[in-house]
Amino acid sequence: MLRTQLSACFSKSVSSLSPTASTLEDVAANHRGLARVVLKKGKAQILKDGNPMVYSGAVDRIKGRPAPKTGDVVLVSDGSEKPIGWGLYNSVSMFCVRLMQLEEEVRRDPSCTLNMEKLLEKRFSDAIDLRRSLGLPSSDTNAYRLINSEGDRLSGLIVDVFGEVAVIASSAAWVEKYRPQIESVVSKIAGVRHTWWRSSVDILKEEGLEVPREKEQGQPPFTQKVKVVENGVYYLVSPEGQKTGFYADQRENRRLISSLSKDKRVLDLCCYTGGFSLGALLGGAHHVTGVDSSMSAIELANENIHLNNLDHERISFVKEDVTEFMKRALLRNEEWDVVILDPPKLAPRKKVLHSACGMYRNLNSLAMQVTRRGGLLMTCSCSGAMTQSRLFLPTLQGAASMSGRRIAVLRQAGAGCDHLIDPSYPRGEYLTNILLRVS
């Protein structure tokens, strides 16, 4: 139904496209003034292999007058000037072009070539179809990620759907340029009645944009809390919260923790609004403690207790820095059967990877010490730099040495099935969850 309704909105525009053009060069011939970004010799293969990012250092020359501006559509060619794809140009960013289509795709279907509005319609339609094949949304889960940047081939754009609300997160200059078109496509998704736009201000500065924050933009605050359900657990989501307001990528891992928590004492560190905590208690945990430094998150977590009619005697949320909480717990010789450690992104880029490894090591060392011997620790990293460097597991081994504990890896899990990841992307959200037995 979702795909049918969205496709119906777009069928008119798609049917009017010319079916005759078969190559990117053919289509480009009808676009006067189209600039061409020519790569240095040997720099095209990584793009053909799936990396959508053209680094400025890989560019040999740019052909076309006037020179392209940020957000313009450009051809991308190899050193011999043979087109390999097209994308969106940025005159400032280290990512000179974000590729949108490769030549081979154009040959299969030229209907969206060099046209971002039609490509957006196609990408959203494909994303809806894919989520439907995964059973999303459903009667017991209506919070999911519809567009996951490179995973859905729209680099820099994320769309999370929470029931009737869609939160759109922008982290690329082209996304800001095409905001009206994106909002229009999202508004046509079946079941979506409200949209909320969130610009990643700090990342957009690297893209050459000075974007005011929501309040400064004049965008009214989204004060309404959205009630969603995930795996049968109810949550209140604030679209003004961290990231898009809810970590849809942890759904399958929350289900796993729920299945492991029966009759256990559970500690949820960096609990945010209680995702793991609520699942653990509904999975039969004896008692659950959630810890987070954000008062607004703790308040929403407490509201979620009421929303699910849970016993306040068996679950509690504490506002405190997790490092200080664990140090005090050690002084009391307090331990838990199951511990979850899901900190914020500590390594947003490679240049801080060394210091981030130290922070991950220290946090995990403490977490291992508050896990009873024989107990379980699920530890998480959403830092792309950690995943790409393959340093997370060695960091955990270093933490075990610090803590005087031994660890056995029971399971390594990534994101939920809707949180598609392109492993070629250099700066994406790479969720790594490792389940350890601590002894």
Side-chain angles (χ1 to χ4, degrees), residues 301-320:
N302 281 315
E303 289 186 59
N304 286 333
I305 295 177
H306 291 287
L307 193 63
N308 289 277
N309 297 313
L310 299 176
D311 183 357
H312 275 273
E313 297 297 319
R314 295 173 54 211
I315 184 169
S316 59
F317 291 105
V318 179
K319 179 193 176 300
E320 189 172 351

Side-chain angles (χ1 to χ4, degrees), residues 99-394:
L99 275 179
M100 292 293 152
Q101 272 191 315
L102 293 172
E103 165 72 17
E104 61 188 53
E105 297 176 85
V106 174
R107 288 181 180 275
R108 290 196 303 268
D109 178 11
S111 62
C112 303
T113 306
L114 305 178
N115 189 317
M116 271 307 297
E117 292 186 34
K118 292 183 174 64
L119 185 73
L120 284 167
E121 294 167 358
K122 177 70 163 59
R123 293 282 191 259
F124 269 81
S125 184
D126 289 346
I128 287 171
D129 189 41
L130 179 57
R131 270 60 180 189
R132 286 187 63 212
S133 72
L134 298 170
L136 296 168
S138 66
S139 59
D140 70 348
T141 298
N142 65 358
Y144 63 101
R145 179 149 294 180
L146 176 62
I147 298 292
N148 189 46
S149 198
E150 293 69 37
D152 290 289
R153 313 219 29 231
L154 288 171
S155 176
L157 174 65
I158 283 175
V159 180
D160 281 348
V161 177
F162 304 127
E164 296 182 341
V165 176
V167 181
I168 306 165
S170 162
S171 61
W174 78 263
V175 178
E176 295 292 320
K177 176 178 179 178
Y178 286 92
R179 175 172 176 171
Q181 293 86 348
I182 293 168
E183 290 181 319
S184 175
V185 175
V186 173
S187 70
K188 295 172 185 174
I189 297 169
V192 171
R193 299 180 60 187
H194 308 282
T195 61
W196 178 249
W197 188 276
R198 298 196 61 167
S199 299
S200 301
V201 177
D202 294 336
I203 295 177
L204 288 170
K205 284 182 181 178
E206 299 176 14
E207 291 274 301
L209 292 184
E210 289 290 340
V211 179
R213 299 186 186 276
E214 285 87 350
K215 294 179 182 178
E216 297 167 1
Q217 282 182 312
Q219 183 174 217
F222 199 108
T223 55
Q224 178 184 356
K225 296 169 186 173
V226 185
K227 181 181 176 180
V228 300
V229 60
E230 178 197 83
N231 296 329
V233 184
Y234 291 97
Y235 300 92
L236 290 174
V237 174
S238 171
E240 288 193 303
Q242 295 177 25
K243 295 191 177 178
T244 61
F246 187 70
Y247 296 109
D249 53 336
Q250 287 282 29
R251 180 176 59 253
E252 300 306 317
N253 297 313
R254 285 189 282 263
R255 188 200 300 270
L256 174 62
I257 287 296
S258 179
S259 70
L260 298 173
S261 297
K262 185 172 178 58
D263 299 326
K264 302 292 194 302
R265 295 182 72 247
V266 178
L267 175 62
D268 184 5
L269 298 164
C270 304
C271 66
Y272 190 42
T273 58
F276 282 107
S277 299
L278 298 169
L281 192 61
L282 287 168
H286 175 72
H287 189 274
V288 181
T289 302
V291 184
D292 201 281
S293 60
S294 167
M295 177 54 77
S296 60
I298 292 298
E299 289 173 349
L300 202 52
N302 281 315
E303 289 186 59
N304 286 333
I305 295 177
H306 291 287
L307 193 63
N308 289 277
N309 297 313
L310 299 176
D311 183 357
H312 275 273
E313 297 297 319
R314 295 173 54 211
I315 184 169
S316 59
F317 291 105
V318 179
K319 179 193 176 300
E320 189 172 351
D321 175 82
V322 295
T323 297
E324 294 306 313
F325 178 89
M326 288 189 284
K327 287 179 178 179
R328 290 195 304 105
L330 289 173
L331 292 175
R332 300 191 304 268
N333 294 317
E334 191 169 6
E335 295 178 327
W336 285 264
D337 303 303
V338 178
V339 176
I340 304 103
L341 174 61
D342 187 12
K345 186 187 297 185
L346 301 179
R349 50 189 60 85
K350 286 186 177 180
K351 66 181 181 182
V352 298
L353 185 57
H354 179 74
S355 61
C357 284
M359 288 187 282
Y360 277 116
R361 185 173 57 251
N362 293 336
L363 281 170
N364 279 279
S365 175
L366 289 169
M368 291 171 188
Q369 292 176 71
V370 298
T371 304
R372 72 165 179 82
R373 293 185 185 274
L376 300 176
L377 168 63
M378 176 172 278
T379 182
C380 315
S381 167
C382 62
S383 298
M386 286 294 292
T387 300
Q388 290 179 318
S389 66
R390 295 182 173 86
L391 287 176
F392 193 41
L393 189 53

Side-chain angles (χ1 to χ4, degrees), residues 5 26 45 93 114 217 239 254 269 290 336 397 414 427-428:
Q5 292 191 26
D26 291 336
Q45 189 58 49
S93 172
L114 305 178
Q217 282 182 312
R254 285 189 282 263
L269 298 164
W336 285 264
Q397 291 167 336
R427 197 180 60 178

